[in-house]
Amino acid sequence: MKDLYPPIEPYNQGKLKVSELHTVHYEESGNPQGKPVIFLHGGPGGGIAPMYRQYFDPQQWRIVIFAQRGCGQSTPYAELRENTTWDLVSDIEKLRQHLNIDRWVVFGGSWGSTLALAYSQTHPDSCKGLILRGIFMLRPSEIGWFYQEGASNIYPDAWQEYIKPIPPAERGDLLSAFYKRLTSEDAQIRLEAARAWSVWEASTSKLIPSQASKVSFGRAEFAEAFARIECHYFVNKGFLKSENQLLDNVERIRHLPGVIVQGRYDVVCPMITAWELHQVWTEAEFVVIADAGHSVSEPGIKDALIRASDRFAAL
Ligand code: STX
């Protein structure tokens, strides 16, 4: 099994002003002369982690990672205004131009896969290939499964904690109930809802749940941006023009090399979505990990992603 490359530090970091309101933080690591890859993080609102650099051979790759609007070191923090899928797509393109990169490989899991599909279908000529994991296409069925009913049947214990901040009378529409609290003027109400929302995801992300991720997702500094931005995107149906937009536009990226890595027991983004994507995009390689859930850090997922990036480095 392939494991992560050793930890590395960025050789360059910067801020790019992408609108009157927003500035995004980015970093470059690995080999400045290497093949460029853009890493798209999850959530939306999840921010970046040093570990993300370690999915790429640092001799081969010029690894570009940025924190999407409103999260991590991007400013303003947890801001929802001017924060849509299409704003992020345009930020990625601005960043590519700013860094003088002609074309790059696009790497993303979960919401990162959603954004990778939206970006590559908008700017196919900027892309060399796609490595996707834990496919999420932000359709109402996917949101309903995770935030209203479905995953609740697999994790009733974690579910009970998730719905605690919402009174029974409002539980028929949990997304709206959370949105109301996550956008409240009252910081205490916001934080309580943000923690419950984030810990729900941490509790369900791995085949074998980890206490450490529950603690780190529950941290106020992380939870507020993660929950607010996710919920904002989900009540707005990802700002997609139709629920099948990302499937319908596969035509635009069909010619690009693609790999889809999916954990069989992914409860956050169940395999049906990856399956449906592959049914349409049959040219892409489909890798199912028999003993993994949703997380980027599960052993089988790491192995498949690193094998894919090693292979793409040689293209
Ligand atoms: N959201 C799934 C997602 O994109 C529905 C995601 N889940 N956890 C993450 O992202 C982080 C690990 C980036 C926090």
Side-chain angles (χ1 to χ4, degrees), residues 27-309:
E27 56 160 65
E28 294 182 90
S29 57
N31 177 354
Q33 262 74 55
K35 182 176 273 232
V37 58
I38 176 76
F39 183 104
L40 303 178
H41 69 67
I48 66 181
M51 180 189 70
Y52 295 161
R53 301 168 196 147
Q54 296 176 250
Y55 286 81
F56 309 93
D57 180 345
Q59 312 277 5
Q60 301 280 348
W61 290 98
R62 174 180 176 187
I63 308 153
V64 182
I65 309 184
F66 82 107
Q68 296 160 25
R69 293 186 183 203
C71 45
Q73 295 177 62
S74 294
T75 58
Y77 178 71
E79 176 61 63
L80 304 181
R81 285 175 295 161
E82 293 177 27
N83 197 340
T84 73
T85 306
W86 310 109
D87 290 320
L88 302 184
V89 163
S90 107
D91 296 351
I92 299 167
E93 198 55 2
K94 281 191 185 126
L95 185 57
R96 184 186 65 76
Q97 286 157 356
H98 177 72
L99 297 174
N100 263 311
I101 289 169
D102 186 30
R103 295 201 302 155
W104 50 12
V105 170
V106 181
F107 183 108
S110 195
W111 158 258
S113 76
T114 323
L115 184 56
L117 290 168
Y119 170 71
S120 60
Q121 293 173 359
T122 309
H123 299 286
D125 296 342
S126 303
C127 305
K128 273 195 183 132
L130 286 95
I131 302 175
L132 307 176
R133 166 198 58 90
I135 307 303
F136 181 43
M137 292 196 286
L138 225 149
R139 297 172 294 178
S141 58
E142 297 168 54
I143 304 294
W145 159 271
F146 192 63
Y147 296 103
Q148 189 62 42
E149 189 180 0
S152 53
N153 294 316
I154 301 175
Y155 287 99
D157 41 357
W159 182 259
Q160 194 167 61
E161 299 301 312
Y162 162 63
I163 61 176
K164 249 184 202 159
I166 311 299
E170 288 182 63
R171 290 181 188 166
D173 181 0
L174 287 163
L175 207 56
S176 304
F178 269 100
Y179 187 73
K180 189 167 101 186
R181 286 161 181 79
L182 291 168
T183 54
S184 163
E185 295 289 305
D186 184 331
Q188 197 53 43
I189 290 178
R190 280 205 311 272
L191 185 58
E192 191 200 357
R195 284 207 159 110
W197 176 281
S198 301
V199 170
W200 165 239
E201 200 156 317
S203 309
T204 50
S205 281
K206 293 183 180 175
L207 181 60
I208 311 298
S210 121
Q211 188 56 35
S213 24
K214 282 171 66 174
V215 171
S216 81
F217 276 54
R219 282 184 2 257
E221 320 83 75
F222 175 82
E224 184 144 15
F226 185 60
R228 268 168 62 83
I229 297 172
E230 278 198 332
C231 194
H232 161 75
Y233 274 69
F234 301 161
V235 299
N236 287 292
K237 301 183 166 66
F239 306 92
L240 298 175
K241 293 164 191 94
S242 72
E243 71 174 80
N244 282 324
Q245 177 178 349
L246 300 174
L247 274 180
D248 293 344
N249 288 340
V250 161
E251 232 35 76
R252 302 187 183 175
I253 55 168
R254 187 178 295 289
H255 59 287
L256 296 170
V259 178
I260 299 166
V261 175
Q262 178 67 42
R264 167 73 67 182
Y265 296 104
D266 189 330
V267 167
V268 182
C269 298
M271 180 169 147
I272 183 69
T273 302
W275 178 256
E276 287 175 9
L277 177 62
H278 186 239
Q279 294 295 302
V280 174
W281 189 12
T282 47
E283 297 85 348
E285 189 190 348
F286 189 45
V287 186
V288 178
I289 311 304
D291 56 354
H294 182 64
S295 173
V296 69
S297 58
E298 291 175 283
I301 303 265
K302 277 186 197 164
D303 174 66
L305 289 174
I306 295 165
R307 281 178 197 281
S309 75

Side-chain angles (χ1 to χ4, degrees), residues 10-32:
Y11 62 79
N12 180 38
Q13 302 195 52
K15 306 281 181 204
L16 183 65
K17 188 169 164 59
V18 288
S19 81
E20 277 304 306
L21 183 59
H22 288 275
T23 296
V24 299
H25 170 84
Y26 66 88
E27 56 160 65
E28 294 182 90
S29 57
N31 177 354

